[in-house]
Amino acid sequence: MTAILETRALRKSFGGLVVTRDVDLTLEEGETHALIGPNGAGKTSLVNLLSGTLSPTAGDVLLAGEIITRLPSHRRARRGLARTFQISTLFDSFTAEKSLVLALLARQGHCYRLGRMAGFSCLRDEARRLLDLVGLTGRNLVPTASMSHGEHRQLELALALAASPKVMLLDEPMAGLGGEETAKMIELLRSLRGRYTILLVEHDMDAVFALADRISVLAEGRLIATGSPADIRSNAGVRQAYFGDDDGD
């Protein structure tokens, strides 16, 4: 398989506090790759380094073979790196469709006025296709303020897909979801497997083992293991560091 996203000896420190310790991570094209680890392991810091929200102290980030280490987040997004966040970042007054049309316009580099969107019929069609894809059929004219938390998560995923991404960084997409909503999100992400390259940061282990082709484990900022779900389940070091299991049972 072809590596689409890589880090090489990626390191981030704040003074004497090292939050990412020389991480070498590779995402293969088309895989769903989960990143797990205990609280404080450095998962969000690593995602911030990948997306450009943070600049590394040392090391490099590569997207499709291009070094993007010094590019700001908006230029990484233009190159095909899309991200969702733990906390929803939507405009409450916008409808789902309008949010997506604006995202599609931004992808194309158009200048626009918020009040003059009547001529973008093809973009509205694409917005509705994306809403269908994430399970929001018929919700196109609903203001985001009137949507449930689960629907917000679905819309955020649609916004990421609107960027035609090479890689999607999904930061805890199950956060705050109830049991039924979590099951729905798992099925939605399963439907995208193989069609998109996904780095999934998630605490829900049922979701991780249901979705991931490979799993990487962070502990104290260091990558301690990468492998198949079966490999990670049976790895004594991972069980000790992540699950707090001393005897392997």
Side-chain angles (χ1 to χ4, degrees), residues 173-247:
M174 318 294 170
L177 299 184
E180 185 176 333
E181 290 175 324
T182 295
K184 188 174 184 178
M185 181 59 72
I186 290 172
E187 288 307 309
L188 172 55
L189 293 178
R190 184 178 281 127
S191 74
L192 301 177
R193 285 183 68 183
R195 300 163 61 187
Y196 296 91
T197 304
I198 296 172
L199 179 65
L200 173 67
V201 180
E202 187 53 61
H203 283 290
D204 187 320
M205 290 298 99
D206 289 337
V208 167
F209 285 108
L211 292 167
D213 299 302
R214 289 194 299 154
I215 300 171
S216 289
V217 185
L218 276 179
E220 299 180 343
R222 191 182 304 280
L223 194 64
I224 63 169
T226 294
S228 70
D231 292 337
I232 297 303
R233 279 188 188 276
S234 62
N235 187 306
V238 171
R239 295 174 70 89
Q240 171 74 32
Y242 188 76
F243 300 105
D245 189 341
D246 291 326
D247 58 14

Side-chain angles (χ1 to χ4, degrees), residues 119-130:
F120 299 121
S121 59
C122 61
L123 296 182
R124 292 200 304 274
D125 289 344
E126 175 64 5
R128 290 171 188 170
R129 186 191 69 80
L130 290 167

Side-chain angles (χ1 to χ4, degrees), residues 7-73:
T7 69
R8 295 177 181 172
L10 198 64
R11 185 178 183 89
K12 180 63 180 179
S13 60
F14 298 95
L17 176 63
V18 182
V19 295
T20 306
R21 299 174 183 271
D22 303 323
V23 170
D24 292 318
L25 178 70
T26 300
L27 267 70
E28 305 291 349
E29 190 169 6
E31 78 169 331
T32 297
H33 193 126
L35 180 67
I36 67 172
N39 289 330
K43 300 183 298 297
T44 295
S45 293
L46 180 55
V47 172
N48 287 339
L49 290 167
L50 293 172
S51 66
T53 306
L54 281 178
S55 297
T57 304
D60 281 309
V61 179
L62 291 82
L63 179 64
E66 177 190 4
I67 295 175
I68 60 169
T69 311
R70 302 304 167 193
L71 293 184
S73 55

